[in-house]
Structures are given as structure tokens and as C-alpha cells.
Amino acid sequence: MGVIKKKTATRGTEGGVKYVCDVCSADITSTVRVRCADPACKEYDLCVPCFCDGAHTKDHDPQTHSYTVVEQHSIPIYQQDWGADEEMLLLEGAETYGLGSWADVADHIGGYRTKDEVRDHYSKTYIESSKFPLPERASPHDRELLELVSRKEFQASKKRRIEDRKEAARTAVPAAPKTKQTASVPACHEVQGYMPGRMEFEHEHMNEAEEAVQHMQFEPGDGINPATGELDPEMELKLTVMDIYNSRLTARADRKKVMFEHNLLEYRKNMSNEKTKTKEERDIINKAKPFARMMNNTDFKEFTEGLLAEHQLRQAISQLQEWRNMGIKDLKGGEKYEKEKKERMQRAQPTGALDRLSSARPGKGGGHPDTSSIVQALVGPDLPAPYRPKPFNPTEVPKASANGVNGRAMTNGHANNIIVPQFDKVKHPMTAVTNIQPLDLTNENANDLHLLSADEKNLCSSLRILPKPYLVIKEALLREAMKSGGKLKKKAARELCKIDANKGSKIYDFFINAGWIARAT
């Protein structure tokens, strides 16, 4: 990665780089100028009258130095509303400030271009081009835009755009000024050691960086050997030390920029926001904080919110798997199970005098959060009709007699002459496939095995299918069944499986028996 150098240039009233004649100081930004091409003159520009008169200053010698005529390239080449001069300033600004610093690049271009406008234009013209990294109209023979929009019309439209945006900026409501602290001492801010008036800290990053250059002196003409015209070793050492010092200042400024961008100085507000999160969520955010140096505040918030959403999904999936292993099939049963589990854990904890006092304190609940709301938020009642649980109908419960229910003795499920329906889970009979040896699946040789139920593990073992391909097949079958109201034909299921027809049929029969899909006629 190359070194990004900050370019210091005079800004015009309309933004962008402003060029002035080095002899008469006339503004030559919007006209033809002559630039010296000799290495002795760095960014030396002349207006046309001064060049014709042979005027010069400093080390410029008009008799021996070569020159280049720079015209105003205010013509469209890639898009109708962007001129060639703006395209060159865009590439120059991207090279100077780096891709992503769109605000600085927009200031470099000028003409009241916004950072979003510059970013979208760069992405559309260069990145989304079919000839990447070149634009679509990169060919020098492509003159379609020049024939479509003349130079005069383009410059007139550009002038109107600049005037309209200048008027809009003039009539815009001014932003409320930021309130400043009345003092700039280390003790007047909630962050100890920060001085808000100077926007500095009492102890900066690399606080001893200035010690290496505090006694360094530079005199005009020093450091150059008159005989050879080269730098002395002492001067080279001084310049090396200055480069190190500048790199430390850059690192210090980058760290300050991160603090200001992400509002890290609002300590009380950040601490109050962290208290609303669980310990796991705080750990996730702390692990993601190194990425804040590469993002702005909005992008980092979206990034952390995505990580927290993923964490909640994983918690919900883990809880649903636990409920499935316990034989729970609906949300009400899951909530009851979580409540009873919490009560059992509280009863199992040894309670002393101090524990009873802390538990009796108002607002102090148990240490185990109620995670049933996580699943309830992710698994709503808006399911398709075939997948909604059937409501309990008391009339369908078999009546109890003195000898039990249907001749069986009443044990579990009978209380106060009320019969609670007991359903026997019918397992799908797994028939061995001919000429196929069952596969021994373990956590070492099969990833995602923990995502399968016991019956699904037996199915994958008998059909010699690993868990991950089976999960892909399962998702494809359920998605296709959802499109047709939960029904699916065996032929369509075998085509979706894209495996052996016998294996596809057995998977289809397993899904039918499990009640996940219905057989289509």
C-alpha cells in the first residue's frame, strides 16, 4: 500500500484547487496557463501575458526551462454532467487523500460537489464498468458525448449548477454552533486529562515525540556539500529524524480522529448504553472495536448491530434445539419449560443470610436471564396454515372409565377426573438400503452433526449422507413445499435432492412421516 500524502493547496471560494500566476498573482484557474516542466521549478505557473513578456521569479529561467501549456478541459468524456477537468481532479484527489476520503476529494474537485455525489460517480464510472479498471468510454476514439453535448452547452450547464448550489448554500439554515467549554484545563471534562478548548490531551500518544527534534536547527544553505552538491550525512540524519517525527504526529492525529468520529469522549453516555447490554453483547462489541479505525460511526454501528443480531439468532437456535431435545413442540411449552428450569436452578443454589437479603432487594432478579423472549421474537405466529399448531379440542379426548382409558390403566395425565391427552411419538421405520453400509457419524468426521435430531442422524447414517448436504436438501424441500401450501410430490422432491432416486425417496418419506410436508396428489 502506497503512502498517502496530504496536499496543501489554496482553496477557491467554490472549493477545488485554485491556480494563481507566480509573477502577477492573477487567478488563472479557469483559463489557459503555462506550467514550467523543469525539475528546478515545482508547480510554477504563469499566465499567458507574463509568459509572453518573459517575466519570471525565483529560480525560473524562461530561456532554458521547458514548459507545458495547460488548457481548461471542461468537456464531458465519461458522463454528461462531469467534465474532463473534474475527472482529473477526482483521480488526483483519490491518489492524494486515499479512496474513502470522499469529503476531502470533493473539496479538491470543487464546484460544490458533495462527497456522496463524488463517491457514486467513482463507483458507477470506474468500479461498475465492464472494462474495469477503465471506464466504459475509455477509448480515445469515443467522441459520442462530445457530439451530443457541445463545449459551450456543457460550460453553461456547469455554471448554472454552481450558481444554483451556491444560492442554496447561502439560503440554507445555518447549523447550530457547538457549545464550547468555558475553560481548557484537564479537569473540566468528564474524560480526565482532556482539554476541550484545545482538543488535546494532557498526555498525548507518543508524548515524548517532540524530544527528538526540540534542539534541532536548520540554517539556510546548511547540509549541502559545495563540491558535490549532495546532502551531508548529518543533514540526511536530521531529515530522517523529521520523517519519524512526522509519522508519529500522523499516528497521533489518526487516533484523535477515531475518538472524535465515534464520540468516545462522551464517557457517561457510552457507559449508560453499555449497561443496557448483556455481558456477552459487551464482549462482542469490545472484540469488534479494532475495526472502528477503518469505519465511520454509522458503518460501525451497523456492523455491531449485525453482530448482535447474529448472536441473538444463535441463542434462539440453541434454545430451540434444547426444546426439541426435550420433546417440546410449541412456544407455550417452551416458556413453561424455561420458567420451571429457572425455578429449579434457584432452588438448587445454596441460600445463606446474605443471599436471601440480596434476592429480597427490589429490582434484583436472578442471575439467569429469561431468553424465551428471544425465541418468541424470532418465531412468530405468522406461519403458513399447514405449519400452525392445531388448537386443543377437549371433545377429542377419550373418556375415562373405571378401568382407565380404552381399557388401559390411568397413570400419567389423569388428575381431578381430567384426562390430559398423551400422544405416543411414532418413529419412522428406517429400512436399510441395499448394498450400502451405514456411515458412522461423529463430531470429528461430520460437521454440523449437532444440528440434527436423533432420527435425522439415523437417516443420514443409513443413507451415507453428511449433515451439511442433508441440511441443504432439507432447506430446498421445505422452501419448495412452502410455495405450494406445504405439499410436495415425490417426483419433484427427488429432482430437488439431485442424488440417487432411492435416497431421495427415503428422505421424502421421512419428511412426510415427520409432518414437515404433506403428500401432494
Side-chain angles (χ1 to χ4, degrees):
M1 184 173 64
V3 179
I4 299 176
K5 297 180 179 179
K6 295 293 182 180
K7 180 177 180 180
T8 57
T10 306
R11 303 288 184 179
T13 56
E14 299 175 358
V17 180
K18 182 179 179 181
Y19 297 97
V20 296
C21 178
D22 286 272
V23 176
C24 64
S25 300
D27 186 2
I28 53 176
T29 306
S30 302
T31 184
V32 179
R33 67 181 185 276
V34 180
R35 167 160 290 193
C36 180
D38 194 272
C41 300
K42 184 179 180 181
E43 296 184 356
Y44 190 88
D45 298 315
L46 294 173
C47 62
V48 175
C50 291
F51 175 76
C52 295
D53 296 339
H56 63 279
T57 57
K58 300 180 182 178
D59 298 331
H60 178 66
D61 186 3
Q63 298 180 355
T64 59
H65 288 186
S66 57
Y67 61 90
T68 303
V69 178
V70 181
E71 298 182 3
Q72 184 185 12
H73 303 292
S74 186
I75 53 174
I77 53 174
Y78 298 147
Q79 289 188 9
Q80 293 187 9
D81 56 342
W82 278 73
D85 51 349
E86 293 177 312
E87 297 287 353
M88 290 190 296
L89 290 173
L90 170 61
L91 298 179
E92 182 181 283
E95 181 181 3
T96 303
Y97 303 108
L99 288 177
S101 303
W102 300 116
D104 295 333
V105 177
D107 291 339
H108 186 80
I109 296 173
Y112 289 96
R113 294 286 188 185
T114 62
K115 62 178 183 179
D116 296 334
E117 186 179 7
V118 174
R119 182 194 62 232
D120 296 341
H121 172 74
Y122 184 86
S123 176
K124 181 179 179 181
T125 305
Y126 297 93
I127 298 179
E128 299 176 4
S129 173
S130 59
K131 301 178 181 179
F132 178 82
L134 298 178
E136 293 287 349
R137 304 180 183 274
S139 174
H141 304 289
D142 190 350
R143 302 179 60 86
E144 181 178 354
L145 287 179
L146 294 177
E147 297 175 357
L148 185 63
V149 181
S150 63
R151 180 191 294 265
K152 186 176 180 180
E153 294 176 355
F154 178 79
Q155 293 180 354
S157 63
K158 180 180 179 180
K159 184 178 180 180
R160 286 195 303 270
R161 172 176 58 82
I162 293 176
E163 291 177 352
D164 293 342
R165 296 191 179 183
K166 184 189 297 184
E167 181 66 20
R170 187 180 65 83
T171 59
V173 179
K178 295 184 179 180
T179 58
K180 295 184 178 180
Q181 300 286 347
T182 56
S184 183
V185 293
C188 73
H189 197 268
E190 54 186 296
V191 177
Q192 185 178 5
Y194 177 66
M195 296 174 283
R198 300 172 58 181
M199 300 180 69
E200 293 179 353
F201 292 88
E202 187 179 9
H203 190 279
E204 294 282 355
H205 174 71
M206 294 186 177
N207 201 44
E208 298 79 13
E210 286 76 10
E211 294 181 358
V213 297
Q214 61 180 347
H215 300 298
M216 193 176 296
Q217 296 181 357
F218 291 90
E219 297 293 339
D222 287 353
I224 300 178
N225 193 337
T228 61
E230 298 179 354
L231 289 177
D232 292 337
E234 182 180 358
M235 180 58 66
E236 292 181 357
L237 178 60
K238 287 183 178 181
L239 295 178
T240 303
V241 173
M242 288 299 299
D243 289 339
I244 296 174
Y245 172 65
N246 290 331
S247 65
R248 292 178 177 178
L249 291 183
T250 302
R252 183 185 299 175
D254 291 341
R255 281 160 175 77
K256 284 185 179 179
K257 182 179 179 181
V258 173
M259 297 188 68
F260 298 147
E261 174 70 24
H262 296 275
N263 302 322
L264 299 182
L265 295 175
E266 299 177 0
Y267 179 76
R268 295 189 181 93
K269 181 179 179 182
N270 295 334
M271 291 301 297
S272 62
N273 291 335
E274 286 189 2
K275 290 180 180 179
T276 60
K277 297 179 174 58
T278 62
K279 181 179 181 300
E280 293 80 5
E281 292 176 345
R282 289 196 296 267
D283 292 341
I284 292 174
I285 294 177
N286 289 333
K287 291 179 181 179
K289 282 182 178 178
F291 295 98
R293 299 181 62 181
M294 298 176 284
M295 304 179 184
N296 56 31
N297 192 22
T298 305
D299 294 342
F300 182 70
K301 284 184 178 179
E302 294 179 358
F303 176 62
T304 52
E305 288 174 359
L307 293 179
L308 295 180
E310 179 189 3
H311 174 67
Q312 294 175 357
L313 286 173
R314 290 182 181 275
Q315 281 186 330
I317 292 171
S318 176
Q319 191 177 51
L320 289 173
Q321 288 175 347
E322 181 182 359
W323 291 0
R324 183 173 63 180
N325 294 333
M326 295 297 175
I328 301 172
K329 297 183 178 180
D330 54 8
L331 291 178
K332 290 185 178 179
E335 293 175 359
K336 182 180 179 182
Y337 167 76
E338 292 293 335
K339 182 178 179 180
E340 294 177 353
K341 177 182 176 182
K342 183 178 179 180
E343 293 176 355
R344 287 195 303 270
M345 296 182 69
Q346 288 178 351
R347 288 197 301 267
Q349 293 177 354
T351 56
L354 295 178
D355 296 332
R356 286 194 294 271
L357 289 175
S358 63
S359 61
R361 189 178 302 171
K364 298 292 184 180
H368 303 280
D370 185 11
T371 55
S372 59
S373 60
I374 300 176
V375 175
Q376 194 170 10
L378 296 174
V379 184
D382 301 331
L383 294 175
Y387 302 101
R388 294 177 185 171
K390 296 182 179 180
F392 173 67
N393 189 1
T395 60
E396 297 180 358
V397 180
K399 295 183 179 180
S401 62
N403 297 327
V405 180
N406 296 335
R408 293 183 299 174
M410 294 182 293
T411 55
N412 296 332
H414 178 266
N416 298 329
N417 294 326
I418 298 176
I419 305 301
V420 180
Q422 301 291 323
F423 300 100
D424 296 332
K425 186 176 180 181
V426 180
K427 293 187 177 180
H428 178 64
M430 292 303 303
T431 58
V433 184
T434 58
N435 300 329
I436 293 182
Q437 183 70 20
L439 183 64
D440 185 16
L441 297 176
T442 61
N443 291 326
E444 288 75 15
N445 62 5
N447 296 329
D448 301 334
L449 183 62
H450 62 284
L451 300 177
L452 306 183
S453 63
D455 294 338
E456 289 178 315
K457 292 177 182 178
N458 295 333
L459 175 68
C460 293
S461 176
S462 60
L463 299 182
R464 296 186 65 85
I465 300 177
L466 293 176
K468 187 167 291 186
Y470 167 75
L471 291 174
V472 175
I473 295 174
K474 178 180 178 181
E475 181 183 2
L477 293 180
L478 294 180
R479 285 183 181 274
E480 187 66 24
M482 291 278 287
K483 297 178 182 178
S484 56
K487 298 181 180 180
L488 190 64
K489 292 184 178 180
K490 179 179 285 190
K491 182 179 179 181
R494 287 187 296 188
E495 292 177 355
L496 288 173
C497 291
K498 297 181 181 180
I499 57 176
D500 183 68
N502 294 330
K503 294 183 179 181
S505 299
K506 290 188 176 296
I507 294 176
Y508 176 78
D509 295 337
F510 177 80
F511 282 17
I512 293 293
N513 183 268
W516 296 342
I517 60 177
R519 193 185 305 272
T521 57

